[in-house]
Amino acid sequence: MMRAGLPMYDLPELRAVTDAFWNRLASHMRAEGIADVPARLEHPTDHEAHWLEPGLLLSQTCGYPFRHRLKDRVTYVATPSYAVEGCGRGTYRSAIIVRADAPIGRLDDLRGATAAFNDMQSQSGMNALRAAVAPFSREGRFFDRVIESGRHEASIRAVADGEADVAAIDCVTWAYLERYRPSEVSNLRVLDMTTEMPGLPFVTAGDADEDQVQKLRAALTEAMLDPALAAVRDALFLSGIVVLPDDAYLAINRMEQHAAELGYPQLG
């Protein structure tokens, strides 16, 4: 049985429109000749197990695991573009957030602070933040303490509640929360934006053949142009897809390597 999920932006407030997007996308997949398209999306809690399911038809992953744990174990399909501040055509940044009243004007003011991050396998929450502060590190240290929160939303709460001073949040997640949970971000502000990186890729099973990948790309392209999905795309901030060059995601490895060369291999 084929499986599918879109777990990267799986906020409860978005599930109805995400399901609507999937229902129409699934129709386009069937029209392209893809067999056994799942009727419903999964909402996995174990993302890595989900990405590595043998019957995976389509999912979305973070660029960091795509270049590390999932390397050569999933097949790249395409990269979505989002119409939010910080995103380009197939690219995105992280918003480095602090409390609105914090006496912090620039990144190096955060020396000795407490940082919250979602996951050690996160490009937007960990790798991008590490790279941003690496030039200011001393003997491998910059922050006094780091907290692994488990999710971007939890990192945001930690900063808002004063448990942490800073976090780096995927700019798409940040835009969703500004729209759908404004009270949760009302006492926060964006201090800076991280370096532009390739966006969160759509992937399929590692053993997918080129014909399947091309059919998936065609179906995604149709869904991004489908007039019936205009309101759904607006609600999800989706503006299209791009197929990035094979080496595009190496930028994530280069970002990690540069931080190490500056003597800052671990967020801390």
Side-chain angles (χ1 to χ4, degrees):
M1 182 179 70
M2 302 298 284
R3 318 288 286 270
L6 296 172
M8 290 292 89
Y9 299 119
D10 195 21
L11 295 176
E13 295 91 337
L14 295 174
R15 284 196 177 174
V17 289
T18 302
D19 287 343
F21 177 77
W22 174 256
N23 290 339
R24 192 71 175 175
L25 173 59
S27 296
H28 288 296
M29 289 179 176
R30 295 183 189 105
E32 290 295 329
I34 298 175
D36 197 22
V37 178
R40 295 180 179 83
L41 290 171
E42 297 179 354
H43 301 281
T45 54
D46 186 338
H47 290 167
E48 186 169 340
H50 161 70
W51 292 322
L52 294 175
E53 288 173 335
L56 183 69
L57 177 62
L58 189 72
S59 188
Q60 187 177 22
T61 183
C62 172
Y64 194 89
F66 180 65
R67 284 299 309 159
H68 291 80
R69 291 181 180 177
L70 301 180
K71 186 177 182 296
D72 300 324
R73 302 173 77 188
V74 296
T75 300
Y76 173 77
V77 176
T79 303
S81 296
Y82 294 89
V84 303
E85 184 178 356
C87 285
R89 190 167 179 267
T91 65
Y92 81 125
R93 302 172 187 264
S94 294
I96 299 177
I97 61 160
V98 297
R99 285 182 298 282
D101 60 356
I104 297 168
R106 57 189 190 182
L107 286 178
D108 57 344
D109 291 338
L110 290 164
R111 186 183 309 282
T114 296
F117 69 100
N118 54 335
D119 189 317
M120 286 299 294
Q121 287 291 305
S122 172
Q123 165 59 29
S124 56
M126 186 281 293
N127 195 35
L129 181 60
R130 175 174 58 189
V133 302
F136 310 110
S137 64
R138 296 173 182 167
E139 298 180 348
R141 299 293 301 179
F142 179 73
F143 295 115
D144 181 61
R145 188 166 70 103
V146 295
I147 301 168
E148 186 170 356
S149 70
R151 293 180 62 84
H152 276 311
E153 302 97 290
S155 295
I156 287 170
R157 284 195 298 273
V159 178
D161 294 344
E163 296 175 17
D165 301 297
V166 64
I169 309 298
D170 171 344
C171 65
V172 179
T173 297
W174 181 252
Y176 283 146
L177 294 176
E178 283 188 309
R179 173 178 285 187
Y180 296 107
R181 300 182 191 174
S183 63
E184 292 189 12
V185 301
S186 60
N187 70 330
L188 303 172
R189 62 181 169 89
V190 176
L191 173 68
D192 205 346
M193 300 292 282
T194 63
T195 301
E196 183 179 57
M197 284 283 124
L200 282 65
F202 289 132
V203 297
T204 188
D207 60 356
D209 60 28
E210 184 61 21
D211 180 64
Q212 181 88 328
V213 171
Q214 291 301 327
K215 289 176 178 178
L216 288 169
R217 287 174 178 168
L220 283 163
T221 299
E222 289 299 318
M224 295 299 179
L225 298 172
D226 190 338
L229 282 176
V232 167
R233 290 192 301 269
D234 287 347
L236 294 172
F237 302 133
L238 281 169
S239 60
I241 65 161
V242 295
V243 177
L244 296 176
D246 290 343
D247 60 354
Y249 286 88
L250 287 173
I252 290 170
N253 301 80
R254 289 194 293 269
M255 172 179 273
E256 182 174 40
Q257 181 180 354
H258 184 59
E261 290 170 351
L262 292 173
Y264 194 65
Q266 296 293 328
L267 186 68

